[in-house]
Amino acid sequence: MDTQFLKKIDASISSNAKNLIELRRFLHRNPELSQQEFATTDFLSKRLLDLGFDVNIRPEKTGFYADLTPKNFDPKTDKTIALRCDLDALPIDEKADVTYISENPGVMHACGHDAHMTIITGIAEALAETELPGRLRLIYQHAEETSPGGASELIAFGALKGVDSILGVHVEPKIKAGKVGVKPGAFTAAFDVFEITIHGKAGHGARPHHCVDPIYILTQAANALYNAVGRRADAGDPMTFSIGKIEGGSAYNIIPNTAFMGGTIRTLSIENREKIKPLLNQILKGICDAHGASYELTILSGSPAIINDIHLNRSIRQAAVETIGEENVIDMQLPSMGSEDFSEYLKFVPGAMFRLGVAEDDNAHMLHSAFFKIEETSLTIGSRILTRTVLNLFKEEA
Ligand SMILES: [Zn+2]
Ligand SMILES: [Zn+2]
């Protein structure tokens, strides 16, 4: 891949900025919820087809992947590099001060997936007419926001077949537009949901000694669990425990039979993740035994942590330095305790993700906020960095 070619592609993305902003605004005005991205899938898959990509749409009509395969492609020796973006929006009523506000009431692209789709499509437009030294696969993934997410469904559909490595990007409102954040190793956390039901014995609120009060026992268990995370997990290896829902009882003067709580636990290491179930069981059993109650515990496993491949992260960093300069590349020290189902792909192939700065200023609203918006100059930066990473990877692997 000669420098002249790299420069030409880079310039063609930059000169496509207006078109990309228009595409992103169209996607922003027309958001769809997870597993309902029918129009988005239809619209973008047609666009990719027009560009000459081979398009594979899931039978459910949400989510697809598209290949650009060079004429003399030999799957035995030539590489396939995948780029992934996500299609879904969130159940949020948009309040952002923009002229292209969501036209689907109660649904909003508040996680920047409209930007991710635009960035990947920008790459498709820049590379469509070229003869690459390997195959480029673009994965347009549905249902990133829900658990289980769309990644595992697309993998089952064959989206990783023949893929050697995968790259992704997520917008980041904590970083100013024009800059990016990169990090090797742990990038986001694993995500598990817990559901706990305490079984007691119902009765009159005036006579708790005749009952086994599940609400009282639940509060003891909740406090013990909050404390246990700080006492039992290594402080250098973060774990967050959050109860998001508590339910129990039907009247002020009745002690109920059962009480329920549910929430999430996020971890970075496999060791910590494996501790969750025994830890919860030990504490729940101890407290329930002490009060003559019983419990049920269900753990619903979400996506694992994203562990960025060191070599691929270095390739993204290098491409970012070449595109926007060393001074605009932030080496992030800490992972996010949020989670992303990009990690599902990493169970099968090495990959890396980076954070694209989209903040207009220091007061940018965060992801999943009804006021979230992005500085759109970041779109071409995202496309340029990912394109250069892919071209550099093809070059070194050729
Ligand atoms: Zn999100
Ligand atoms: Zn997201």
Side-chain angles (χ1 to χ4, degrees):
M1 209 66 60
D2 61 51
T3 330
Q4 217 48 33
F5 179 75
L6 285 173
K7 269 194 182 151
K8 197 183 118 202
I9 295 293
D10 199 55
S12 98
I13 298 172
S14 298
S15 64
N16 199 22
K18 210 169 143 237
N19 179 30
L20 292 183
I21 289 173
E22 209 173 286
L23 170 62
R24 186 252 158 179
R25 291 183 179 191
F26 173 80
L27 295 166
H28 191 87
R29 282 200 306 272
N30 297 283
E32 294 176 297
L33 290 174
S34 312
Q35 302 288 3
Q36 295 170 34
E37 308 93 331
F38 302 109
T40 309
T41 297
D42 185 58
F43 174 78
L44 288 173
S45 61
K46 280 188 178 136
R47 193 143 170 161
L48 270 285
L49 208 55
D50 287 347
L51 288 168
F53 281 67
D54 295 316
V55 173
N56 299 278
I57 305 172
R58 290 198 320 132
E60 292 81 1
K61 306 287 181 207
T62 55
F64 68 99
Y65 64 93
D67 283 356
L68 185 66
T69 311
K71 266 190 224 90
N72 300 321
F73 181 73
D74 179 354
K76 284 196 209 82
T77 52
D78 297 336
K79 298 288 171 190
T80 298
I81 299 176
L83 301 177
R84 176 271 207 169
C85 64
D86 31 19
L87 309 182
D88 52 337
L90 288 153
I92 293 174
D93 205 17
E94 180 159 20
K95 302 273 187 289
D97 172 26
V98 292
T99 52
Y100 47 89
I101 197 157
S102 166
E103 292 169 8
N104 186 0
V107 184
M108 175 189 176
H109 270 299
C111 200
H113 298 184
D114 51 344
H116 306 161
M117 291 183 262
T118 305
I119 287 166
I120 299 300
T121 308
I123 296 167
E125 287 174 356
L127 296 178
E129 301 288 311
T130 63
E131 187 68 15
L132 295 173
R135 180 165 57 189
L136 176 67
R137 175 163 304 164
L138 304 181
I139 300 177
Y140 287 79
Q141 184 207 308
H142 62 295
E144 190 283 319
E145 296 286 0
T146 50
S147 186
S152 40
E153 291 174 348
L154 263 173
I155 293 166
F157 178 59
L160 281 186
K161 213 185 278 168
V163 168
D164 294 286
S165 48
I166 185 164
L167 307 171
V169 58
H170 206 295
V171 297
E172 178 52 73
K174 283 183 267 184
I175 300 177
K176 281 245 180 75
K179 295 179 183 284
V180 298
V182 295
K183 186 183 180 306
F187 190 73
T188 62
F191 166 85
D192 294 295
V193 168
F194 63 86
E195 296 177 334
I196 296 164
T197 304
I198 308 283
H199 294 275
K201 185 169 164 257
H204 199 297
R207 285 180 283 281
H209 56 292
H210 288 168
C211 311
V212 176
D213 183 348
I215 290 182
Y216 166 66
I217 297 162
L218 182 135
T219 60
Q220 305 284 306
N223 278 321
L225 289 168
Y226 280 130
N227 289 327
V229 172
R231 301 291 87 199
R232 302 279 290 276
D234 183 340
D237 182 6
M239 177 191 271
T240 62
F241 169 89
S242 293
I243 297 170
K245 191 173 182 179
I246 289 185
E247 281 173 352
S250 57
Y252 297 139
N253 58 353
I254 302 171
I255 289 170
N257 260 321
T258 61
F260 171 89
M261 63 178 157
T264 55
I265 299 183
R266 292 160 197 269
T267 48
L268 293 176
S269 67
I270 293 170
E271 294 77 40
N272 257 350
R273 197 177 192 195
E274 284 173 348
K275 272 185 203 157
I276 293 173
K277 204 169 182 180
L279 178 64
L280 263 61
N281 270 320
Q282 192 187 27
I283 287 170
L284 290 166
K285 184 172 184 316
I287 288 176
C288 286
D289 281 353
H291 296 289
S294 62
Y295 71 94
E296 272 170 82
L297 167 67
T298 310
I299 305 254
L300 307 163
S301 293
S303 294
I306 292 180
I307 309 294
N308 274 343
D309 180 81
I310 290 171
H311 170 71
L312 292 169
N313 179 69
R314 202 182 298 133
S315 302
I316 293 174
R317 191 187 189 286
Q318 180 58 29
V321 168
E322 290 168 15
T323 307
I324 53 176
E326 179 90 46
E327 67 281 12
N328 291 313
V329 179
I330 300 165
D331 291 301
M332 299 186 303
Q333 297 305 309
L334 295 173
S336 155
M337 290 310 282
S339 67
E340 236 285 352
D341 77 350
F342 183 72
S343 57
E344 296 290 338
Y345 301 100
L346 306 189
K347 288 179 183 171
F348 303 96
V349 292
M353 189 174 231
F354 72 101
R355 298 204 177 276
L356 177 70
V358 292
E360 286 174 350
D361 51 40
D362 292 336
N363 304 315
H365 292 280
M366 292 297 116
L367 298 170
H368 293 208
S369 156
F371 296 92
F372 175 72
K373 61 178 176 178
I374 67 164
E375 163 57 65
E376 290 170 314
T377 50
S378 58
L379 296 170
T380 48
I381 294 175
S383 293
R384 288 166 63 208
I385 291 173
L386 273 177
T387 305
R388 192 173 274 260
T389 309
V390 169
L391 296 177
N392 285 346
L393 283 171
F394 276 140
K395 183 170 70 179
E396 72 183 48
E397 281 163 356

